[in-house]
Amino acid sequence: TEIYTLSLHDALPIFSSWPAMKAFIEVRRLERDARRAHAVRAACSDNVRHALALLEVEPAIARDDVYAACTFGEVDVVERWLAEPGARVDDRGGPNNWPPLLYACFSRLLRVDPVRRARIADVVDRLLAAGADPNAHYISEHGEVQAALYGAAGIANEPRMTAALLARGASPDDNETLYHAAEVDDLTCLKLVLAAGPDPARVSYCMRRMLDFQNEAGVRLFLDHGADPRLPLRPGLRPQVQQALVVSGRPSTIAALLDRGADPDERWHGMSAYKVAVRFGRDEAAAVLAARGADTSTVNDHDRAIGACVAGRTPPPVRGPIAALDVLESIARAGHVEAERALLDLDPSIDTVLHRTRALHA
């Protein structure tokens, strides 16, 4: 069995980076099969830099078997394997006990190496053409279904692989793909997944994730594919309009949600959307809500004073303590120091709450 025996002094000249040397040191005493497994696992996780460092030291491990070849985009190795009489394209194996397709779809090299990205997409084409199951998946340690489409669209944001999987019958209704495809600025994969007709309830739920990223084009895309802003979400989540107000408050986004039937008076923990708009200093959004019939009588002088602080205006004088935990949480997350100071001037007693909230979101 081949085992590395180089001393550290002998090895130092061959490395182009500290991570490469560190990776080599960590695995240098492992046998080759173990080194390859280590590299593959790293490449299919958030430790992709470690995988690249190992590959730099020992590039041949990418070609040792079909599972490594799928992970690293070694197309010719995969083609030769598929041509073998005994090749079974959905057989599980390799260090993660996955079918070959999953190693390709969950390879994080798709995100960091454009050359290997194209080659891994070639691998996926070959596997699907050979009959690989487009709905191949594994179960995470938390019991979640991690499907090939999630790797392609939700993690790698790779349109060619996403289109290929969907064309072969991949379901857009796993619990991860649509949700995570809403997290990137490039909407290409999201468009492909939505065009495949996922469950309307899932479309509505995942639009809320898009609201978190202030991507109005993405929100409109969800709405165009049937997202219903009136649909109840999981208990504890803000309604869609209120979430849009807290995250960005963009008036055109609020108007788009209202145009599709969102209730301008929907309440969350007893608070109306109009009150949220005022408290967060979203004057233009508040005007949109008022023009669409929102009840403006829910707002008081304290709400206006809080909104003025958040928006950087001089607040009107008010008496008594302010109750604005929702606002405090948001400005603590955003590090909005000026708003914190203004609110403290308004009510010094909130200092303890601010301190606790900052610590929670640090």
Side-chain angles (χ1 to χ4, degrees), residues 3-4 6 8 11 15 18-31 34-36 38-39 42 47 49-51 53-54 57-58:
I3 300 178
Y4 275 111
L6 291 175
L8 181 58
F15 299 107
W18 167 253
M21 185 184 77
K22 185 172 181 290
F24 174 79
I25 292 171
E26 289 177 357
V27 301
R28 73 188 190 279
R29 296 189 184 280
L30 299 176
E31 297 183 1
R35 295 198 302 274
R36 180 178 65 254
H38 195 87
N47 201 16
R49 289 181 61 192
H50 194 74
L54 292 170
V57 174
E58 192 177 12

Side-chain angles (χ1 to χ4, degrees), residues 109-343:
L109 272 72
L110 290 161
R111 299 172 61 167
V112 300
D113 188 330
V115 174
R116 288 189 184 274
R117 179 183 177 104
R119 286 160 46 184
I120 293 169
D122 287 341
V123 165
V124 169
D125 286 342
R126 305 299 195 277
L127 293 172
L128 291 172
D133 178 7
N135 290 300
H137 63 274
Y138 72 95
I139 306 299
S140 75
E141 60 182 328
H142 303 295
E144 300 160 331
V145 175
Q146 313 282 278
L149 187 62
Y150 165 46
I155 297 178
N157 193 40
E158 214 299 317
R160 180 177 153 197
M161 288 168 50
T162 299
L165 287 162
L166 289 168
R168 294 279 179 172
S171 170
D173 274 327
D174 64 87
N175 288 325
E176 305 290 345
T177 298
L178 188 57
Y179 184 87
H180 291 288
E183 296 174 342
V184 294
D185 292 335
D186 180 0
L187 302 177
T188 307
C189 285
L190 178 63
K191 290 176 181 177
L192 291 168
V193 175
L194 286 169
D199 180 82
R202 181 168 283 109
V203 174
S204 299
Y205 177 82
C206 292
M207 180 176 69
R208 189 183 183 281
R209 185 58 173 163
M210 180 62 78
L211 289 169
D212 291 342
F213 290 85
Q214 305 184 37
N215 188 332
E216 186 171 318
V219 172
R220 291 182 179 276
L221 184 63
F222 271 98
L223 290 169
D224 289 343
H225 283 83
D228 186 350
R230 299 167 298 182
L231 196 69
L233 300 175
R234 194 173 66 224
L237 292 181
R238 285 190 186 94
Q240 307 275 30
V241 170
Q242 298 214 19
Q243 182 68 5
L245 286 167
V246 170
V247 173
S248 72
R250 189 175 290 123
S252 52
T253 301
I254 305 304
L257 294 170
L258 294 172
D259 286 344
R260 301 302 175 96
D263 181 359
D265 282 323
E266 187 172 12
R267 293 172 180 265
W268 187 70
H269 290 183
M271 191 176 301
S272 71
Y274 186 76
K275 183 186 280 283
V276 170
V278 171
R279 282 187 165 212
F280 278 82
R282 315 293 198 193
D283 294 346
E284 292 183 21
V288 169
L289 286 161
R292 303 297 180 92
D295 180 6
T296 61
S297 67
T298 60
V299 167
N300 58 35
D301 288 343
H302 277 72
D303 299 319
R304 296 185 186 94
I306 293 165
C309 290
V310 175
R313 302 188 302 269
T314 301
V318 295
R319 292 185 178 182
I322 63 172
L325 184 59
D326 56 324
V327 177
L328 298 182
E329 288 178 347
S330 293
I331 65 174
R333 282 195 195 97
H336 195 339
V337 177
E338 294 80 6
E340 288 187 15
R341 289 172 179 162
L343 288 167

Side-chain angles (χ1 to χ4, degrees), residues 79-123:
E79 288 178 333
R80 285 197 299 273
W81 178 79
L82 288 171
E84 294 175 2
R88 294 190 294 185
V89 74
D90 287 325
D91 273 6
R92 293 178 175 266
N96 292 341
N97 195 32
W98 292 348
L101 183 66
L102 291 185
Y103 287 98
C105 290
F106 283 96
S107 174
R108 300 307 198 272
L109 272 72
L110 290 161
R111 299 172 61 167
V112 300
D113 188 330
V115 174
R116 288 189 184 274
R117 179 183 177 104
R119 286 160 46 184
I120 293 169
D122 287 341
V123 165

